[in-house]
Amino acid sequence: MPDTPTLTEVINLIKFIVNNFDDGLAILLGRAEPPSAAEMYDKKCKCQSDYGVRIAGGENLPKPQVMLETVHEEIIHKLGGWQHITNTFNYYRRLYPETWLLFEMSSLFVRPGGMIRDGKGGATKMISQKFNGITAKTQRRRRDAYIRTIALFLITRPLDDKFRLYDDPALYQKLN
């Protein structure tokens, strides 16, 4: 496996943390304790559907081994650990406060299934009013674009604080 996770893997990690933990944004900023391998495993298992079939190796592997070998733990390790992730999120937040605000509001208030059900549009309507009437679809697109940008920022900003080129073939195809 390459030393650098793919852009898609990092995007999925960010979305997983933000969507599955109530304090997901605080975790990414280092204000809350990062989830343990067991907590991430439990959240991941609750998100998956049961298809009624047994997957090879599934129940024969000890649960602690499965937890430690989760994809998210491997990605976190490849990114340099939680400390590097939180440092990068805080650095991005300071560099780009305008884009951060929409990402922050949507991460805190918009959840699959909705958090605020007031019959008036809930959190999406509140965010729309704050950002000059942008639609829910535009909010989702911008949030996804910001997550992608932050993921790329996280990958290309190594521990030594010097940017490096990122040579993911999928990204190369999108850019060219």
Side-chain angles (χ1 to χ4, degrees):
M1 297 197 101
D3 293 325
T4 306
T6 66
L7 185 60
T8 304
E9 289 174 329
V10 179
I11 289 170
N12 290 338
L13 173 68
I14 294 169
K15 286 182 177 180
F16 177 77
I17 296 295
V18 169
N19 291 335
N20 291 296
F21 293 92
D22 290 336
D23 55 353
L25 194 59
I27 290 169
L28 294 172
L29 290 170
R31 295 179 180 170
E33 200 63 34
S36 66
E39 290 170 327
M40 290 178 75
Y41 174 81
D42 288 341
K43 293 284 185 181
K44 186 170 175 51
C45 287
K46 288 179 185 174
C47 295
Q48 294 176 345
S49 301
D50 182 13
Y51 295 109
V53 297
R54 184 172 172 270
I55 298 172
E59 292 183 19
N60 291 336
L61 292 174
K63 185 176 178 179
Q65 179 183 346
V66 174
M67 281 190 260
L68 291 173
E69 292 176 352
T70 62
V71 174
H72 296 306
E73 285 295 318
E74 186 176 326
I75 295 167
I76 292 165
H77 176 72
K78 286 181 181 181
L79 289 172
W82 280 109
Q83 187 62 47
H84 178 62
I85 293 169
T86 60
N87 288 345
T88 303
F89 264 84
N90 282 301
Y91 186 59
Y92 183 90
R93 182 179 182 209
R94 284 190 308 275
L95 282 179
Y96 307 106
E98 314 81 33
T99 60
W100 181 263
L101 186 59
L102 178 61
F103 172 71
E104 180 180 54
M105 288 184 76
S106 65
S107 296
L108 290 173
F109 302 117
V110 179
R111 294 267 190 260
M115 285 179 63
I116 302 171
R117 296 190 181 128
D118 59 1
K120 299 175 188 172
T124 305
K125 180 72 171 184
M126 175 187 71
I127 294 170
S128 174
Q129 290 171 346
K130 175 84 173 162
F131 292 95
N132 300 322
I134 62 173
T135 65
K137 184 177 180 180
T138 302
Q139 287 178 38
R140 285 190 301 274
R141 280 194 317 232
R142 286 187 186 174
R143 179 178 185 255
D144 288 345
Y146 296 155
I147 289 174
R148 183 180 184 281
T149 302
I150 293 169
L152 187 58
F153 189 77
L154 187 58
I155 292 169
T156 58
R157 186 175 173 269
L159 299 170
D160 59 6
D161 217 17
K162 295 178 183 173
F163 283 99
R164 63 178 177 211
L165 295 177
Y166 179 59
D167 59 352
D168 181 8
L171 178 63
Y172 182 78
Q173 285 180 333
K174 287 182 181 181
L175 296 176
N176 294 316

